[in-house]
Amino acid sequence: MSRVSKKIRYISLLQAWIAGGILLFGFLGGHFLWLAAVLCVAVFSIAIWAGLILPEEAEEEMVRQKLKSHKQSLEMLSHYRHDVMNQIQLLKGYLQLQIYDRLQAPIQKLVNDAQRHSVLSNLPGNELPYVLIKRELAAPMLHLQLEIEDKENWKEHLEQEIVTFINYLSAIGENLSQDLGIIAEWNMKLRLSGGAASITLAVLGEHVNNTYIAELIEEFGRKGLTLLEQTAEGQTHILSFGSQVKPNVR
Amino acid sequence: MSRVSKKIRYISLLQAWIAGGILLFGFLGGHFLWLAAVLCVAVFSIAIWAGLILPEEAEEEMVRQKLKSHKQSLEMLSHYRHDVMNQIQLLKGYLQLQIYDRLQAPIQKLVNDAQRHSVLSNLPGNELPYVLIKRELAAPMLHLQLEIEDKENWKEHLEQEIVTFINYLSAIGENLSQDLGIIAEWNMKLRLSGGAASITLAVLGEHVNNTYIAELIEEFGRKGLTLLEQTAEGQTHILSFGSQVKPNVR
């Protein structure tokens, strides 16, 4: 809860107490009318003060939050701009050296990135797409693609839980990638039904090896996600995880 | 001022009035102790209600604003992604047809866009860079580059004024471009000193013609910006405007 909201709460409680005091001293006691009058002046002063100061503070907090959001927007744009420019520099270089057959790779990377971002943008919810794209732009070694099954059963109150859960798993993946120096792509299908979560994870990546997969399974296991099945399709490792209880991610 | 802030203000004023009423009836009047007691219960109830409800409302308003900002961030990213993809599609096409000498133009456009955004990002202030990049991404026919002279004298309270002013001028430019179907680039140098503004505007663009320049001068004139000097350097039209008073942009 924000500072202003807390202040509103405490000041209101204070006023309620004082009003109770006026009743007690002024009308039940009878002898302490002067004390009740003092308390009355106190309520009056606090109310005037709160009416002048608190709305201003609430506005300032809103403005602060707005400016913070703007800054984050610009940072996300700047990350993406740098990603684009890196590939463009490659293109410029190959073009200058007339190595035309290598132009395809940077172009394809730009297309892949854009498609991945676009899919993330279309995920349900208000916060989930934002959080995932922000993560993707800031942490470039894990490319996470998420699919939520039963989109039609999407419930707003589930969003915060899913965001926390995905953030948690993707932090595992990003750390793993950075520790082993392996860029990986995860295509994750998530089902959250009742109290249990189940995940199908397809892991792609030129350098993804058995060490990577073994460590991934171990880390997921620590969070209560049991490996149910492990298969491979060509270069892609496919892992199915299930959890009997809601995974504890807090 | 937001709805919650207004509520805080009105509720506090109401409490102050009632507290005044208690004083009047309870302690000055003497005979109306029962009325003072009723008012006292009213203050108590309002305070309890305000303490429970208002902080929740304030939080909800913050969350709403946060989600709105997230949505705008994603929209900006999406605009930029589409701009990039448009050029990438051109690149892919030329590459497929092996027309290598036309690859340079889309690449150069991506570099120019990125450089322009990067310069805008580095403008002073918290809101100005955000507003200008957002405009640039949403309204593609006017490319506006802004330079603020005397950056070291940048004053925070000037920011809102400058944002409004620039928004106003760029709306003129965007409309002009759309009416005449002419993509233009403006390099604007802005000096705001004391009560007066002065602007040096370099207008570039393959199709920028005398009609465009004449209409621009007329529109700026309507807003109190007098043309002081008009020169040309090659394809670039350079216009100096001055204003004796602070331009009225509201």
Side-chain angles (χ1 to χ4, degrees):
Chain A
M1 190 169 270
S2 77
R3 216 168 348 136
V4 173
S5 303
K6 276 186 196 152
K7 267 194 196 168
I8 301 172
R9 176 152 293 168
Y10 295 144
I11 288 171
S12 297
L13 290 179
L14 182 65
Q15 287 178 315
W17 270 99
I18 299 178
I22 301 174
L23 269 180
L24 194 70
F25 293 122
F27 307 108
L28 302 181
H31 308 303
F32 300 103
L33 274 184
W34 61 272
L35 191 52
V38 168
L39 290 177
C40 213
V41 172
V43 168
F44 181 80
S45 315
I46 291 173
I48 291 285
W49 174 84
L52 289 177
I53 301 299
L54 285 184
E56 295 298 325
E57 281 192 21
E59 289 300 295
E60 275 167 27
E61 194 154 310
M62 298 283 269
V63 169
R64 256 199 312 278
Q65 199 191 321
K66 196 178 79 177
L67 294 182
K68 202 177 131 200
S69 298
H70 287 176
K71 217 173 156 185
Q72 284 180 343
S73 300
L74 293 184
E75 271 173 13
M76 281 167 72
L77 263 178
S78 161
H79 278 301
Y80 184 46
R81 198 163 58 234
H82 279 107
D83 289 353
V84 171
M85 277 306 107
N86 284 338
Q87 303 308 313
I88 295 293
Q89 291 313 325
L90 286 180
L91 287 177
K92 277 180 89 167
Y94 294 145
L95 202 57
Q96 208 155 27
L97 300 171
Q98 304 190 323
I99 319 178
Y100 299 125
D101 59 331
R102 297 185 73 173
L103 289 170
Q104 200 63 55
I107 290 181
Q108 201 50 49
K109 173 156 180 11
L110 286 174
V111 172
N112 291 348
D113 285 354
Q115 278 171 351
R116 221 167 42 243
H117 295 176
S118 179
V119 171
L120 291 178
S121 286
N122 288 323
L123 282 171
N126 296 303
E127 199 160 4
L128 189 62
Y130 176 82
V131 168
L132 289 181
I133 291 190
K134 195 174 158 200
R135 196 211 69 78
E136 172 94 19
L137 288 170
M141 290 195 77
L142 170 69
H143 299 161
L144 175 66
Q145 207 54 298
L146 178 68
E147 205 179 298
I148 292 180
E149 303 208 335
D150 275 336
K151 252 190 215 179
E152 55 279 14
N153 291 331
W154 173 265
K155 289 184 188 71
E156 292 227 346
H157 70 271
L158 278 180
E159 177 161 20
Q160 206 49 56
E161 208 163 332
I162 292 179
V163 166
T164 315
F165 186 53
I166 299 295
N167 265 340
Y168 202 87
L169 297 184
S170 60
I172 290 177
E174 184 67 29
N175 288 339
L176 204 56
S177 278
Q178 293 197 353
D179 286 352
L180 302 175
I182 293 173
I183 293 178
E185 188 174 329
W186 287 8
N187 286 319
M188 187 187 277
K189 280 184 194 165
L190 179 68
R191 283 174 301 281
L192 276 178
S193 58
S198 72
I199 288 174
T200 310
L201 185 64
V203 183
L204 295 81
E206 216 183 324
H207 302 288
V208 168
N209 51 24
N210 289 335
T211 314
Y212 181 101
I213 297 295
E215 291 207 15
L216 192 158
I217 293 171
E218 195 187 322
E219 290 282 350
F220 273 41
R222 269 191 211 141
K223 301 306 155 195
L225 286 164
T226 322
L227 181 70
L228 301 179
E229 206 188 340
Q230 177 177 5
T231 55
E233 277 179 20
Q235 293 255 317
T236 308
H237 302 257
I238 299 174
L239 309 168
S240 296
F241 294 93
S243 155
Q244 283 308 311
V245 291
K246 208 174 278 186
N248 178 19
V249 294
R250 306 266 148 110
Chain B
M1 190 169 269
S2 77
R3 216 167 348 134
V4 173
S5 304
K6 276 186 196 151
K7 268 196 194 166
I8 301 173
R9 175 151 293 167
Y10 295 144
I11 287 170
S12 297
L13 289 180
L14 181 65
Q15 288 177 314
W17 270 99
I18 299 179
I22 301 175
L23 268 180
L24 194 69
F25 292 123
F27 308 107
L28 301 182
H31 310 301
F32 300 103
L33 274 184
W34 61 272
L35 191 52
V38 168
L39 290 177
C40 213
V41 172
V43 167
F44 180 80
S45 316
I46 291 173
I48 291 286
W49 174 82
L52 289 176
I53 302 299
L54 285 184
E56 295 299 324
E57 281 193 20
E59 289 301 294
E60 275 166 28
E61 193 154 313
M62 299 282 271
V63 168
R64 256 200 311 279
Q65 199 190 321
K66 198 177 78 178
L67 294 182
K68 201 176 131 199
S69 299
H70 287 175
K71 216 172 157 187
Q72 284 180 342
S73 298
L74 293 184
E75 274 173 18
M76 281 167 72
L77 264 177
S78 161
H79 278 301
Y80 184 45
R81 197 164 56 235
H82 280 108
D83 288 354
V84 172
M85 276 308 106
N86 284 340
Q87 302 308 312
I88 294 295
Q89 292 312 326
L90 286 180
L91 287 177
K92 277 181 90 167
Y94 294 145
L95 202 57
Q96 208 156 26
L97 300 170
Q98 304 193 320
I99 319 177
Y100 299 124
D101 58 331
R102 296 184 74 172
L103 289 170
Q104 200 63 54
I107 290 182
Q108 200 51 47
K109 172 154 180 13
L110 286 173
V111 172
N112 291 348
D113 285 354
Q115 278 171 350
R116 220 167 44 242
H117 295 176
S118 177
V119 171
L120 291 178
S121 287
N122 289 322
L123 281 171
N126 296 303
E127 199 159 4
L128 189 62
Y130 176 83
V131 168
L132 289 181
I133 289 190
K134 196 174 158 201
R135 195 210 68 80
E136 171 94 18
L137 288 170
M141 290 196 76
L142 171 68
H143 298 160
L144 175 66
Q145 207 52 298
L146 178 68
E147 203 179 297
I148 293 178
E149 303 209 334
D150 274 337
K151 254 191 212 180
E152 53 278 15
N153 291 329
W154 172 265
K155 289 184 188 71
E156 293 227 347
H157 70 269
L158 279 180
E159 178 162 20
Q160 205 50 54
E161 209 161 332
I162 292 178
V163 166
T164 314
F165 186 52
I166 299 295
N167 265 340
Y168 202 87
L169 296 184
S170 59
I172 291 176
E174 184 66 29
N175 289 339
L176 205 55
S177 278
Q178 293 197 354
D179 286 351
L180 302 175
I182 295 174
I183 293 178
E185 187 175 332
W186 286 9
N187 286 318
M188 188 187 277
K189 282 184 193 164
L190 179 67
R191 285 175 300 281
L192 276 177
S193 58
S198 71
I199 288 173
T200 310
L201 184 64
V203 183
L204 294 80
E206 216 182 325
H207 303 286
V208 169
N209 52 25
N210 289 334
T211 314
Y212 180 101
I213 297 294
E215 291 207 16
L216 192 158
I217 293 171
E218 195 187 321
E219 290 282 350
F220 273 41
R222 271 192 210 140
K223 302 306 154 194
L225 287 164
T226 321
L227 182 70
L228 301 178
E229 207 189 339
Q230 175 177 6
T231 56
E233 279 180 17
Q235 292 256 317
T236 308
H237 300 258
I238 299 174
L239 310 167
S240 296
F241 294 92
S243 155
Q244 284 307 309
V245 291
K246 207 176 280 188
N248 177 19
V249 293
R250 307 265 148 111

